[in-house]
Amino acid sequence: METTTTPRPLAEEPEKTSAFENSLKSNDTEEKIDIWFYRPIGYQIALFCAKVGLRPNPVTIISIFFGVAAGILFYPQQLWINVLGMLSLMFANSLDSADGQLARMTNDKSRLGRILDGAAGDFWFIAIHIAICLRSMEEGWTAWIWVPGVVAGVSHMIQSAMADYYRNVHLFFIKGTNGSELDNSRDLQKEYDEMSWTRQFGMKLVARLYLNYTKEQEFFSPKLQKLLAVVKEKYQNGLPAKLITDFRAQNKPLMKYTNIVQFNTRVIFLFLWLFLDQSWIYFFFDIFVLNPILIYMIVKQEQVSNHFYKEITAGKYNG
């Protein structure tokens, strides 16, 4: 969301005291496994990249190769090969962590970087889903296995898109535009319309995909869109401190659901079923376990958004 709204810092969020902490988005939105494992590894990778002059976008592209390699390594039924795939996927996620940390460390942020970062995970899991489908057919499944494979893949994309969106909404309210990567389809549409297919084919194609991605996020969050619209209209010079505090108090508990439907939970269970040589279960876990969590997450987020929309329009946060 392009706006000049810049909330004041919160007393509840301690001032960061180390370079590592400064490389993180926010303690509110970080998952424990990331804090303990992926972020420290990513930070060391980011330090190395900064030292040799490697920018965030190439790091993201490298992560795509490791993630796709993981999918390929999940196809054989030999467990030791699958373990190599697990290590490759873990390293891909460490690189995915490193690109964002590097961008924050060097202030080298761009919309292209955000688009690549979101697309990276899609490439990883497309490869993984294809590998599991092919592996399952080798194990005796019919071509019908592609149906849950595709449904689970679409589910995963929606889950990741909404989790990413809600995290950025939370960061917008507690940190403003400098701490968030929140976009809206109206601004993106204007930028897209100004591009030329003949002179900017590649960028226009990327812009089209990102515009569709943003519209998808907005489609599933109508009450949140009303809240963001009234916030943009009423608080052009900064959000009231009480609104920031109240929103954070109600919205922070929902951040755990954004973590559940993203990388760590699904990968833990994926690895478990690979060890048990029952990788096909992953599709049904995605459809019948993570999708209900996604629906619950959307419903609760809409309730919070509706609450604050009513409070703001009633004049509670005019002071």
Side-chain angles (χ1 to χ4, degrees):
M1 179 174 180
E2 302 295 335
T3 175
T4 57
T5 303
T6 305
R8 303 170 213 168
L10 287 178
E12 293 92 327
E13 184 165 346
E15 183 180 351
K16 294 181 172 61
T17 57
S18 71
F20 170 68
E21 289 174 319
N22 280 322
S23 73
L24 306 178
K25 288 184 177 180
S26 167
N27 288 330
D28 284 7
T29 58
E30 295 285 0
E31 192 172 0
K32 295 299 183 183
I33 294 176
D34 290 333
I35 291 289
W36 295 335
F37 185 73
Y38 287 110
R39 299 296 185 249
I41 295 174
Y43 179 63
Q44 295 302 319
I45 296 173
L47 287 176
F48 172 78
C49 293
K51 184 176 180 179
V52 300
L54 191 62
R55 298 182 65 188
N57 289 354
V59 177
T60 306
I61 293 170
I62 294 170
S63 80
I64 293 174
F65 285 98
F66 277 95
V68 171
I72 295 171
L73 292 169
F74 291 156
Y75 168 65
Q77 289 180 261
Q78 291 92 338
L79 182 58
W80 70 271
I81 298 178
N82 299 159
V83 170
L84 291 178
M86 297 175 197
L87 294 174
S88 183
L89 187 59
M90 291 167 65
F91 185 64
N93 197 50
S94 298
L95 289 170
D96 184 60
S97 178
D99 62 15
Q101 290 171 282
L102 178 62
R104 287 184 285 277
M105 288 165 53
T106 59
N107 198 30
D108 188 2
K109 302 176 184 179
S110 67
R111 179 167 288 151
L112 178 60
R114 171 162 165 69
I115 296 169
L116 284 173
D117 190 58
D122 290 340
F123 280 113
W124 305 350
F125 282 93
I126 287 171
I128 290 169
H129 282 233
I130 291 173
I132 292 176
C133 286
L134 294 174
R135 174 183 176 135
S136 297
M137 292 181 69
E138 288 284 329
E139 295 170 344
W141 285 78
T142 69
W144 283 104
I145 191 63
W146 289 91
V147 174
V150 171
V151 173
V154 173
S155 299
H156 174 209
M157 289 182 180
I158 297 174
Q159 292 159 11
S160 296
M162 297 313 298
D164 179 66
Y165 193 53
Y166 290 144
R167 282 179 171 179
N168 277 302
V169 168
H170 188 80
L171 291 171
F172 168 75
F173 271 90
I174 69 172
K175 289 188 171 185
T177 54
N178 290 333
S180 169
E181 298 172 330
L182 192 63
D183 289 309
N184 67 73
S185 60
R186 294 179 302 279
D187 293 336
L188 294 174
Q189 185 70 58
K190 292 177 184 177
E191 295 177 14
Y192 171 79
D193 291 340
E194 291 172 357
M195 293 182 181
S196 166
W197 280 111
T198 54
R199 297 190 304 273
Q200 301 165 286
F201 179 84
M203 286 304 301
K204 182 145 185 160
L205 178 61
V206 170
R208 178 73 258 179
L209 295 173
Y210 187 55
L211 176 59
N212 292 343
Y213 174 81
T214 305
K215 285 184 175 181
E216 173 190 300
Q217 293 171 322
E218 294 173 351
F219 174 80
F220 286 106
S221 57
K223 292 179 181 177
L224 174 55
Q225 300 315 306
K226 292 174 64 177
L227 173 62
L228 292 174
V230 75
V231 164
K232 183 175 182 179
E233 177 186 351
K234 289 179 68 72
Y235 305 119
Q236 297 182 16
N237 296 319
L239 299 184
K242 181 169 174 52
L243 173 57
I244 300 170
T245 303
D246 291 352
F247 183 87
R248 186 186 187 203
Q250 287 203 33
N251 203 63
K252 183 178 176 181
L254 303 183
M255 292 299 99
K256 62 178 175 285
Y257 301 110
T258 69
N259 291 326
I260 290 172
V261 300
Q262 289 201 308
F263 182 84
N264 291 324
T265 301
R266 69 176 64 249
V267 164
I268 289 170
F269 283 95
L270 171 61
F271 289 178
L272 171 63
W273 289 312
L274 283 166
F275 274 110
L276 297 176
D277 196 19
Q278 301 292 332
S279 58
W280 59 271
I281 300 177
Y282 172 73
F283 295 153
F284 296 93
F285 174 76
D286 209 325
I287 296 168
F288 295 113
V289 177
L290 296 185
N291 272 343
I293 295 173
L294 166 70
I295 294 169
Y296 181 78
M297 178 178 72
I298 291 174
V299 169
K300 297 299 292 184
Q301 186 73 60
E302 287 289 274
Q303 289 175 352
V304 169
S305 298
N306 191 49
H307 167 77
F308 282 101
Y309 175 79
K310 289 180 177 179
E311 295 280 82
I312 291 171
T313 53
K316 179 175 179 179
Y317 297 106
N318 287 341

